[in-house]
Amino acid sequence: MAHSQRLSSDDFKSLQPLRRVYGAHFSLSVARCGDGIKWACVVSKKASAKAVSRNLVKRRARAVLAPLLQNSRAPIALIFHAKRSAADASFAALKEDLRSLAERSGVVGAKGDSALQ
């Protein structure tokens, strides 16, 4: 993930989500952001007690989302919250869930190309 696409702690405090989209393993909060697309993946201790599995879910999510969101120029912030089921899900299941959330939110088109450029 490029540094310019990361959400800082100040960004988290100032964001007011416009809407939420729910999937099998993640929920997505969509908010307005001043400059370009910014995104983060949050995996709480409630989702998985072990740091190793939390980090695995985050790494998998970043691996799926980075190519999907790299070309988007939309001024929005995306926060992907992992559910408990994400810790036990396969990479393919996480990939499908994250891709469908991005499509349903309108950030990425059905073919994986960026819709909001």
Side-chain angles (χ1 to χ4, degrees), residues 24-111:
H25 305 295
F26 288 89
S27 65
L28 169 62
S29 297
V30 181
R32 291 200 181 148
C33 184
D35 51 334
I37 189 166
K38 292 190 175 215
W39 58 280
C41 180
V42 178
V43 184
S44 69
K45 284 186 180 179
K46 192 175 185 179
S48 179
K50 295 186 177 186
V52 173
S53 61
R54 287 195 307 270
N55 290 334
L56 178 66
V57 171
K58 284 189 247 184
R59 282 195 310 271
R60 287 178 171 180
R62 286 187 204 123
V64 171
L65 293 170
L68 279 176
L69 302 176
Q70 72 181 357
N71 295 326
S72 181
R73 304 277 185 248
I76 61 171
L78 304 171
I79 304 171
F80 293 87
H81 296 274
K83 296 181 179 180
R84 286 186 179 145
S85 63
D88 299 325
S90 67
F91 181 74
L94 293 178
K95 183 176 181 178
E96 181 60 34
D97 191 41
L98 289 167
R99 187 178 302 272
S100 71
L101 283 175
E103 289 173 6
R104 287 190 293 153
S105 68
V107 176
V108 176
K111 294 180 183 177

